[in-house]
Amino acid sequence: MHDRQRIMVVDDNQEMLKILNRTLELEGFDAIVVADGDSALTLLEETDPDLVILDIMMPGLDGFQTLDLIRERSNVPIIMLTARAEVTALQRSLFLGADDYVSKPFSTRALIARIRAKLRRTRREPLQSLEKDSSAL
């Protein structure tokens, strides 16, 4: 198992990828940044991210299509990050299996808080290791 949690960021905006890559790295995460849905699907199994941040409006596979295809393969938590603030985009995202929805512009501190909350609820390692350690005392 890897030491740092991996966050995959899928966005066609290079400036957004740079900002999120830097923010995530400073917060102690390993960032995997990709510019399109096809690349995200290719890297999904290879990198086994702990969470995916996914833009909706991208060329080729859009975020909705990418979300749907990720859900066919994985139950990884997904936060949609998009400039589309209308309710129908939020509803469609949640219907397709997204765990959260953040509209651009956004606060990086609020996004990090949401990421940490999702990761706490989906932590993969069991708490039994703590019980074993305390029994040795």
Side-chain angles (χ1 to χ4, degrees):
M1 181 177 243
H2 48 274
D3 292 337
R4 291 166 43 122
Q5 291 177 303
R6 294 183 181 131
I7 310 296
M8 179 182 285
V9 181
V10 187
D11 197 313
D12 63 317
N13 181 318
Q14 290 300 313
E15 194 59 35
M16 183 62 62
L17 288 177
K18 287 179 191 174
I19 290 167
L20 289 173
N21 183 50
R22 179 83 173 132
T23 299
L24 292 166
E25 293 286 338
L26 287 171
E27 290 291 331
F29 296 105
D30 284 336
I32 305 156
V33 295
V34 293
D36 60 77
D38 287 320
S39 299
L41 294 170
T42 300
L43 288 174
L44 186 68
E45 289 181 34
E46 182 182 317
T47 61
D48 189 28
D50 295 290
L51 185 136
V52 175
I53 298 171
L54 180 59
D55 185 30
I56 290 178
M57 295 186 293
M58 297 185 293
L61 285 178
D62 68 18
F64 295 127
Q65 294 167 313
T66 304
L67 170 60
D68 198 34
L69 291 167
I70 289 173
R71 278 292 165 252
E72 289 179 5
R73 303 167 188 199
S74 174
N75 208 21
V76 64
I78 298 174
I79 298 175
M80 303 303 283
L81 181 65
T82 181
R84 293 182 62 175
E86 68 270 10
V87 173
T88 55
L90 171 110
Q91 289 172 320
R92 185 170 179 202
S93 296
L94 297 175
F95 176 78
L96 290 172
D99 297 283
D100 204 349
Y101 187 98
V102 176
S103 296
K104 296 176 186 176
F106 61 94
S107 156
T108 55
R109 289 174 53 193
L111 179 62
I112 294 297
R114 287 172 184 259
I115 289 169
R116 291 192 191 286
K118 300 288 175 269
L119 291 173
R120 268 195 310 275
R121 285 194 292 282
T122 59
R123 191 166 303 277
R124 295 180 183 179
E125 59 272 4
L127 295 176
Q128 295 169 346
S129 61
L130 293 175
E131 293 170 7
K132 290 178 187 173
D133 290 343
S134 63
S135 66
L137 296 176

